[in-house]
Amino acid sequence: MAVLNVCSCSKFPPIPNSTKIHPNQNSISQFRPIIPQGTQIQSHLSSLFESFSKASVLALVSASFVFASNPALAFKGGGPYGAEVTRGQDLTGKDFSGKTLIRQDFKTSILRQTNFKGAKLLGASFFDADLTGADLSDADLRGADFSLANVTKVNLSNANLEGALVTGNTSFKGSIITGADFTDVPLRDDQRVYLCKVADGVNPVTGNDTRETLLCK
């Protein structure tokens, strides 16, 4: 045992108390995080903003090409412009003549003197809309919803309203209905009586007599 202790001591001499171990300063510096300066941060932010701006411009350009190829989409509720485009809007005097606006949403919109002449409005909703003085002549209004709508002084000549809804206080006072087709339209008795007083003509598309479609006596 004595020999072993001597050998051990000769291989590992004691460290003097005055000796201090200092860490390698260079190795510590290698682990310091690199913090970008103020100008570098501004440069990164500018690059991000520029990229976002370019993406926005490209999106707008792409959308404009879609609308140019199909103009009807610009007015289609639920289409590229969103469901609120023709719903609850003031569209007074707008020209929708000849357009295809199937199942279009015009709920609660102001449509005074709006031109829908010859438009395809199958299943369109005019619920609680103001159509005073609008032109719906020659329009295809099959299955359209006129519930609670103001249809006062509207031109409905030669329009096809087969299966349209007119529940509630829908008013047709002062409207022109020459040649209009009211087949299967659930009219109230007072509405039917009023319309029968001014009804005449034959619808050029269906060939139905206006008075007969109204079940006038």
Side-chain angles (χ1 to χ4, degrees):
M1 294 297 291
V3 175
L4 179 63
N5 288 337
V6 171
C7 294
S8 299
C9 293
S10 62
K11 290 182 180 179
F12 303 101
I15 300 173
N17 293 334
S18 61
T19 304
K20 294 183 181 180
I21 301 174
H22 296 282
N24 190 332
Q25 298 297 331
N26 293 330
S27 62
I28 293 177
S29 64
Q30 293 176 358
F31 295 96
R32 289 179 181 175
I34 299 175
I35 302 175
Q37 299 299 318
T39 55
Q40 292 178 318
I41 295 175
Q42 291 179 356
S43 178
H44 288 312
L45 291 175
S46 298
S47 299
L48 288 173
F49 180 76
E50 183 178 356
S51 299
F52 179 76
S53 299
K54 288 181 178 179
S56 300
V57 171
L58 287 174
L60 290 174
V61 172
S62 299
S64 65
F65 280 120
V66 172
F67 303 143
S69 61
N70 191 350
L73 291 176
F75 304 101
K76 185 175 182 181
Y81 276 111
E84 301 302 317
V85 167
T86 57
R87 179 175 180 174
Q89 301 296 311
D90 186 350
L91 301 171
T92 299
K94 292 289 184 179
D95 186 5
F96 294 101
S97 59
K99 293 188 179 298
T100 298
L101 301 167
I102 297 173
R103 300 184 64 83
Q104 187 70 28
D105 191 353
F106 291 100
K107 289 186 183 76
T108 69
S109 289
I110 300 174
L111 302 165
R112 291 171 174 263
Q113 290 82 46
T114 301
N115 186 4
F116 289 104
K117 182 178 177 63
K120 294 181 180 180
L121 293 155
L122 288 80
S125 178
F126 295 99
F127 180 89
D128 199 23
D130 185 358
L131 287 153
T132 302
D135 186 355
L136 287 165
S137 60
D138 302 303
D140 190 344
L141 296 161
R142 287 175 292 171
D145 185 3
F146 289 96
S147 300
L148 301 177
N150 184 357
V151 198
T152 302
K153 298 180 180 179
V154 171
N155 185 357
L156 288 167
S157 58
N158 299 326
N160 186 358
L161 294 94
E162 182 178 354
L165 297 176
V166 291
T167 56
N169 296 321
T170 304
S171 174
F172 290 96
K173 290 184 178 180
S175 293
I176 302 171
I177 62 170
T178 300
D181 190 336
F182 286 88
T183 300
D184 296 329
V185 176
L187 295 163
R188 297 193 318 267
D189 289 340
D190 60 315
Q191 291 173 322
R192 193 182 310 280
V193 170
Y194 174 79
L195 290 173
C196 283
K197 291 179 180 178
V198 297
D200 67 335
V202 176
N203 188 275
V205 177
T206 65
N208 295 327
D209 183 281
T210 299
R211 290 183 59 82
E212 290 182 0
T213 63
L214 286 167
L215 304 179
C216 297
K217 298 177 180 179

